[in-house]
Every structure is written in structure tokens, then in C-alpha cells.
């Protein structure tokens, strides 16, 4: 009798070996890396913002609590809030705030109303003529403020100036209390008009033409399209121009004021920016100038916040 000896499958099939899981520390490192990368891209801009904006702001606040005449050999004397109290009692400070407000109101037609009208009118100009038209409007913005001041002083020269010859008067426009501030507003508005029109052109280019086509199909007239479609969709651009006018126009008038009137006559053109410069570099009162700068920063910061809030409430966005 033969016995068939069949070997038993005593050897177990080796289970596949799973790949070792990455260490937890390495996974956490990779996760942290993904979180840090965006901030590495922002780091250069944040560094410059801290160095050139927030650090000087902190130093200005610190300087506002001292009395110092800007001389390196003169010691800085701590005075606490005395500079702020003294500033609140100066009539020149409040008068300069009033002139700054009048300047901003006077600039709004040049930076908001006229640019919108010009940009809407330019839509009818086509071809190469439109490019030439846009170039002529934008050119004043490229003129240096000091050069513009020199040319306008020649044009406004009493008696022999082009303006006086055209109007037949001998008014001293630049050094007359009743007209000096209007001259500064007019020249600054003339320079900023081209930039504002360019911003409005960009806003109009961002409005989809589908809205206008749909309105024409429904029988809307061009006036109705502008009133109910173009202007509402242009409202974010208009609010941006209002915000930049409030924040930047007093700064942009500084070269003109310093070149043409030096704050005169009788401080008729001294706004808040020129006043704090005058305190620092004419009166050599660094503490008082720094206090005015801190209050100016806080006040315009509040105004900017209010304008941004209003923009979010009233502006129409093409979502």
C-alpha cells in the first residue's frame, strides 16, 4: 500500500508589509509650513509698513509728549499732554482745520463731479481722437507741482498776467485774501482732474456691456441706461474718489502753498498740513508739530473709517 506524502502548507503566506507612516513631527512641520508660506510673501511689505509708517507714528506720539527745538545740543524735556492742551487753545489750529475742510469741499467738483461728466462724454469719442482726448486731459497730472506753481504765478501776475489781461482787471490773485485759497483749490483741481478721469474710465471699463445690451432690448433710452445702470455700478469708483480726495488733497496742496503763498496772505492758505510743518520748521516747536500730526492722523483715520462704512452701505457691486 502506497501512502502519498503530501507536504502540508505549514508556511503562512507573508502579509504585505505596510509602508511606515510618516512621523507626526514631520507632518506637523509640513502643516506649519503651509500656514507660514503666505506670510513669507507678505513679510517684505509688512516690514516696509512697520519701518516707514508705524515706527514713525510711534515716534511722533512719543515726540508729542516732549518740548524740543530740534537742536541736537538741546535736551528734550518731557511735558506730558501740555502740547495737546496748548494746541487746543490756539486759534490758528482751529482756523487751519476750517480751511482744510473748505479745501476738501472745493476739490470735490474737480475730483468727482467733473471727472464723471468728462468720462461719460468721452464714450462718444472713438478711434484715435479718443486717445488724443484722453492724453490732453491726463497731461496736467504729470506736471510737477513746483513747475505748475511757477507757470500759474506768471499767468496770474497782476496787470501783465494772461488772466488779468483776459478779464481786464488788475487783481493780485495770489496775494489777495479773498482769492488766494481759491487759486490753490483751482490749481490743485486742475492737476488732479486727469487722474480722477482716468480712475472713472477704469470704473466704466469694468462694467459689463451685457447690462446695456439687455436694457436696450427692453427699450431703455441712453439717459435711462446711464441713470439706472451706469451710475449705480460706478458708485464704488465714486466713493473711492471721495475717499482719496478727503485724505490726499490737503497733502497735495502743500507744494503749491509753499511755492506760491507760504501760507499767506494772513494765513488765508494755511491748512492743517502746512501748519504742522510751520510749527516744526519755522517755529522750531517739534513737540507741538508732533501733537498736531497725531491728532491729524486720528481724525482722518476716523473719517476714513466712516467713509468706508458708507461706501459699503450705498455702493452697488457687480457680483
Amino acid at each position: 500500500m502506497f501512502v502519498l506524502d503530501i507536504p502540508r502548507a505549514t508556511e503562512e503566506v507573508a502579509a504585505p508589509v505596510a509602508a511606515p507612516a510618516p512621523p507626526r513631527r514631520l507632518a506637523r512641520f509640513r502643516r506649519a509650513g503651509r500656514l507660514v508660506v503666505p506670510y513669507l510673501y507678505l513679510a517684505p511689505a509688512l516690514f516696509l509698513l512697520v519701518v516707514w509708517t508705524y515706527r514713525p507714528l510711534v515716534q511722533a506720539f512719543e515726540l508729542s509728549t516732549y518740548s524740543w527745538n530740534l537742536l541736537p545740543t538741546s535736551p528734550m524735556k518731557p511735558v506730558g499732554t501740555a502740547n495737546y492742551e496748548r494746541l487746543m487753545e490756539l486759534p490758528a489750529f482751529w482756523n487751519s482745520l476750517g480751511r482744510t475742510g473748505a479745501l476738501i469741499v472745493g476739490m470735490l467738483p474737480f475730483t468727482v463731479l467733473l471727472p464723471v461728466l468728462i468720462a461719460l462724454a468721452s464714450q462718444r469719442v472713438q478711434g484715435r481722437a479718443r486717445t488724443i482726448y484722453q492724453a490732453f486731459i491726463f497731461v496736467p497730472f504729470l506736471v510737477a507741482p513746483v513747475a505748475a506753481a511757477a507757470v500759474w504765478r506768471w499767468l496770474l501776475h497782476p496787470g501783465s498776467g494772461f488772466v488779468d489781461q483776459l478779464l481786464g482787471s488788475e487783481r493780485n490773485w495770489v496775494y489777495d485774501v479773498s482769492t488766494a485759497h481759491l487759486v490753490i483749490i483751482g490749481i490743485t483741481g486742475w492737476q488732479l482732474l486727469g487722474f480722477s478721469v482716468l480712475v472713472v474710465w477704469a470704473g466704466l471699463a469694468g462694467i459689463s456691456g451685457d447690462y446695456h445690451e439687455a436694457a436696450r432690448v427692453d427699450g431703455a433710452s441712453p439717459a435711462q441706461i446711464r441713470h439706472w445702470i451706469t451710475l449705480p455700478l460706478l458708485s464704488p469708483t465714486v466713493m473711492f474718489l471721495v475717499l482719496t480726495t478727503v485724505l490726499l488733497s490737503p497733502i497735495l496742496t502743500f507744494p503749491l502753498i509753499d511755492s506760491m503763498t507760504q501760507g499767506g496772505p494772513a494765513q488765508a492758505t494755511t491748512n492743517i498740513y502746512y501748519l504742522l510743518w510751520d510749527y516744526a520748521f519755522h517755529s522750531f516747536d517739534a513737540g507741538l508739530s508732533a501733537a498736531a500730526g497725531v491728532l491729524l492722523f486720528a481724525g482722518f483715520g476716523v473719517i476714513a473709517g466712516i467713509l468706508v462704512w458708507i461706501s459699503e452701505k450705498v455702493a452697488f457691486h457687480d457680483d
Side-chain angles (χ1 to χ4, degrees):
M1 181 177 181
F2 297 95
V3 179
L4 184 60
D5 187 9
I6 301 176
R8 297 179 180 178
T10 57
E11 298 180 3
E12 297 179 0
V13 179
V17 179
R24 293 182 179 179
R25 184 177 300 177
L26 181 60
R28 288 197 297 267
F29 179 77
R30 291 176 177 174
R31 192 180 305 112
R34 288 193 296 269
L35 294 175
V36 170
V37 166
Y39 295 98
L40 291 178
Y41 287 109
L42 292 174
L46 292 176
F47 174 77
L48 294 176
L49 188 65
V50 170
V51 170
W52 297 109
T53 302
Y54 295 114
R55 180 171 171 266
L57 181 62
V58 172
Q59 290 178 334
F61 179 76
E62 181 181 4
L63 183 60
S64 68
T65 61
Y66 287 88
S67 176
W68 185 41
N69 61 1
L70 294 178
L71 294 178
T73 58
S74 177
M76 300 173 61
K77 300 178 181 179
V79 294
T81 61
N83 287 323
Y84 293 95
E85 296 173 0
R86 187 157 55 101
L87 192 65
M88 294 292 103
E89 297 174 355
L90 290 175
F93 174 74
W94 298 106
N95 293 335
S96 67
L97 285 179
R99 295 188 197 98
T100 305
L103 169 68
I104 293 172
V105 173
M107 289 295 300
L108 288 176
F110 294 97
T111 57
V112 179
L113 181 60
L114 285 177
V116 171
L117 296 177
I118 293 173
L120 292 176
S122 67
Q123 289 182 316
R124 301 181 180 182
V125 183
Q126 301 297 330
R128 186 175 299 178
R130 183 174 184 177
T131 304
I132 298 174
Y133 178 72
Q134 293 174 347
F136 273 113
I137 294 175
F138 189 72
V139 160
F141 182 70
L142 303 178
V143 179
V146 176
V151 172
W152 278 102
R153 285 189 65 175
W154 172 68
L155 292 174
L156 297 172
H157 191 275
S160 61
F162 174 77
V163 175
D164 273 353
Q165 291 181 357
L166 182 65
L167 299 178
S169 65
E170 294 186 0
R171 179 186 292 272
N172 194 343
W173 299 91
V174 177
Y175 294 105
D176 191 334
V177 175
S178 61
T179 59
H181 202 206
L182 296 177
V183 167
I184 298 297
I185 293 174
I187 299 175
T188 309
W190 168 74
Q191 285 201 287
L192 293 182
L193 182 63
F195 171 78
S196 301
V197 173
L198 183 65
V199 172
V200 178
W201 278 332
L204 290 174
I207 299 176
S208 175
D210 296 338
Y211 298 111
H212 299 83
E213 293 296 333
R216 291 191 190 97
V217 171
D218 291 339
S221 65
Q224 290 174 327
I225 293 175
R226 284 195 299 268
H227 184 269
W228 297 107
I229 296 177
T230 304
L231 291 179
L233 292 177
L234 199 61
S235 57
T237 303
V238 172
M239 292 304 301
F240 170 77
L241 289 175
V242 172
L243 180 62
T244 54
T245 301
V246 172
L247 298 181
L248 298 181
S249 58
I251 301 175
L252 297 176
T253 59
F254 180 87
L256 293 175
I257 295 173
D258 193 48
S259 302
M260 298 182 70
T261 65
Q262 294 79 44
Q267 293 190 334
T269 58
T270 301
N271 59 26
I272 185 63
Y273 283 99
Y274 195 82
L275 183 70
L276 65 89
W277 181 85
D278 183 75
Y279 284 155
F281 299 105
H282 281 173
S283 303
F284 297 101
D285 195 337
L288 192 65
S289 175
V294 171
L295 292 180
L296 184 65
F297 175 82
F300 275 98
V302 172
I303 294 174
I306 294 174
L307 289 177
V308 170
W309 178 78
I310 293 175
S311 176
E312 294 298 326
K313 294 295 183 180
V314 304
F316 291 87
H317 297 275
D318 185 10
D319 298 328

